[in-house]
Amino acid sequence: GSVEAHIVDDTEIHCKVPISRSGPTPFKLSIDRSAYPAFIQRQIRSTSSDILDTALLFQYYDDEIVESLSPSHGPERGGTAVSVHGRNFQDFASLSCKIGTAIVP
């Protein structure tokens, strides 16, 4: 099925992906050219199809599951190193923990 896309500018489009199973999924861009003015439709219809097959893949992954913290407590002054144990953690470039209202690297 299709999902709604929003144009940010002439170099970027935002889409929300639908629910799917873990793994790589082909990505295609469908363009409704009827939304363009008639003179532009004539120019682009002769050179492009309405489905752009990008040969790119979107990688779905399993949801992360936190099973335990070690240790599960520490002094009010903070500074306790906490290990998070669970499943399906991904190696993201930007990863942080939020404890209460504090976000820590």
Side-chain angles (χ1 to χ4, degrees), residues 17-40:
V17 298
I19 295 170
S20 185
R21 292 185 184 268
S22 180
T25 303
F27 177 84
K28 295 182 181 185
L29 182 62
S30 174
I31 301 170
D32 178 6
R33 298 184 192 288
S34 66
Y36 290 106
F39 72 95
I40 294 177

Side-chain angles (χ1 to χ4, degrees), residues 48-60:
S48 304
S49 79
D50 288 343
I51 304 291
L52 178 61
D53 189 349
T54 65
L56 297 173
L57 297 174
F58 180 82
Q59 179 70 38
Y60 283 93

Side-chain angles (χ1 to χ4, degrees), residues 68-75 80-83 85 99:
S68 67
L69 302 175
S70 177
S72 61
H73 58 279
T80 302
V82 177
S83 295
H85 303 274
I99 301 175

Side-chain angles (χ1 to χ4, degrees), residues 69 82-84 94-105:
L69 302 175
V82 177
S83 295
V84 180
S94 175
L95 187 62
S96 61
C97 296
K98 184 174 181 179
I99 301 175
T101 58
I103 298 174
V104 294

